[in-house]
């Protein structure tokens, strides 16, 4: 059983690849972005608390996200299933918090898979998604730019944090969905082989 994090800038294809990965590898999907959007749609008190942050393309306050992920971790934990964290942790403080939580449950993050895409392409992809999915945070250039800036300023530090622990795997995120998926599965197979041999 392995636990992985899928990271990348907005529009990198994390959601698409996550869906394929959870099917192929029996992984439990933890996506704060999706969970938070659901709360906003249902207009729960949490949804009302976070709506403005999401709609402006800003990060939701860290305690809200880490509490939510911790609750999901305990509720969803199933024997034999690993976790796929999609778009989380996005800051080093979130990375430290989730590691503490996982350690308590005798778990760890085994790898970070980072989808790399040139910035010029991100804008086009997010705008295309805006027409299909209608996400409020995909709707204007300023919101998209804010998310890309936050990714550069905050989330790249998370990548560095895991690179120092030898857990970072960079993937070229440009190409057909299935081609990118095969790049990721090559890494998954390495990780699984390593887990079996330990
Ligand atoms: P995503 O679907 O992963 O692109 O996330 C959509 C939005 O949800 C982000 O722009 C943030 O407002 C919020 N969000 C998702 N993940 C996190 C996180 N790890 N920390 C803080 N905010 C997050």
């Amino acid at each position: 059983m392995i636990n992985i994090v899928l990271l990348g800038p907005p529009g990198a294809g994390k959601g698409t690849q996550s869906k394929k990965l959870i099917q192929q590898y029996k992984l439990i999907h933890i996506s704060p972005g999706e969970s938070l959007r659901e709360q906003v749609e249902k207009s729960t008190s949490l949804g009302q608390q976070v709506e403005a942050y999401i709609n402006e393309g800003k990060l939701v306050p860290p305690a809200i996200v880490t509490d939510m992920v911790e609750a999901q971790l305990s509720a969803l934990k199933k024997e034999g299933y690993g976790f796929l964290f999609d778009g989380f942790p996005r800051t080093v403080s979130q990375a430290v918090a989730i590691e503490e939580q996982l350690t308590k449950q005798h778990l760890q993050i085994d790898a970070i898979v980072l989808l790399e895409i040139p910035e010029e392409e991100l804008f086009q992809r997010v705008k295309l998604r805006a027409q299909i999915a209608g996400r409020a945070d995909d709707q204007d250039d300023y919101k998209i730019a804010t998310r890309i800036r936050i990714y550069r300023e905050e989330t790249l530090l998370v990548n560095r944090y895991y690179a120092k622990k030898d857990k970072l795997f960079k993937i070229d995120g440009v190409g057909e969905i299935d081609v990118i998926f095969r790049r990721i599965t090559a890494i998954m197979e390495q990780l699984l082989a390593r887990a079996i041999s330990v």
Side-chain angles (χ1 to χ4, degrees):
M1 183 191 83
I2 50 174
N3 303 310
I4 64 161
V5 171
L6 192 59
L7 282 184
K14 299 187 292 293
T16 307
Q17 296 296 336
S18 289
K19 286 196 184 83
K20 293 172 76 69
L21 285 165
I22 56 174
Q23 268 193 354
Q24 178 134 343
Y25 294 102
K26 268 185 35 177
L27 297 169
I28 297 168
H29 190 203
I30 295 200
S31 167
E34 263 181 29
S35 304
L36 291 166
R37 273 193 296 281
E38 222 174 271
Q39 296 293 319
V40 172
E41 270 160 37
K42 291 185 187 155
S43 198
T44 61
S45 70
L46 175 62
Q48 287 168 19
Q49 246 177 299
V50 301
E51 186 168 12
Y53 294 99
I54 296 181
N55 288 349
E56 286 167 27
K58 294 183 180 155
L59 290 183
V60 165
I64 295 180
V65 180
T66 45
D67 286 356
M68 189 179 76
V69 171
E70 284 176 17
Q72 289 180 337
L73 259 184
S74 314
L76 299 172
K77 193 176 168 190
K78 265 198 268 178
E79 201 55 47
Y81 282 72
F83 287 101
L84 189 166
F85 298 97
D86 168 358
F88 176 88
R90 262 163 147 107
T91 65
V92 174
S93 68
Q94 287 180 358
V96 172
I98 193 61
E99 279 187 12
E100 277 173 13
Q101 185 63 23
L102 286 169
T103 306
K104 279 188 210 153
Q105 304 195 27
H106 308 289
L107 298 172
Q108 62 163 2
I109 287 172
D110 298 291
I112 313 297
V113 176
L114 171 66
L115 293 170
E116 294 191 301
I117 320 273
E119 272 190 22
E120 317 80 75
E121 193 165 330
L122 292 177
F123 265 91
Q124 290 168 14
R125 287 192 185 196
V126 175
K127 286 186 160 181
L128 192 67
R129 184 171 68 190
Q131 292 164 18
I132 302 163
R135 273 174 57 169
D137 57 347
D138 283 346
Q139 299 300 327
D140 76 52
D141 285 3
Y142 183 73
K143 292 175 186 176
I144 302 169
T146 302
R147 283 151 68 209
I148 294 176
R149 178 179 54 74
I150 291 174
Y151 176 79
R152 246 193 265 122
E153 290 173 0
E154 304 257 7
T155 311
L156 285 180
L157 298 175
V158 176
N159 300 337
R160 240 178 270 162
Y161 173 82
Y162 283 107
K164 282 193 195 138
K165 293 174 181 270
D166 258 347
K167 290 187 174 178
L168 182 70
F169 295 83
K170 294 182 180 178
I171 296 274
D172 176 4
V174 179
E176 296 287 323
I177 290 171
D178 285 336
V179 172
I180 297 166
F181 184 60
R182 281 199 292 278
R183 292 178 191 146
I184 304 176
T185 56
I187 290 171
M188 293 296 289
E189 298 306 324
Q190 264 183 52
L191 292 167
L192 286 167
R194 202 197 285 168
I196 289 165
S197 68
V198 170

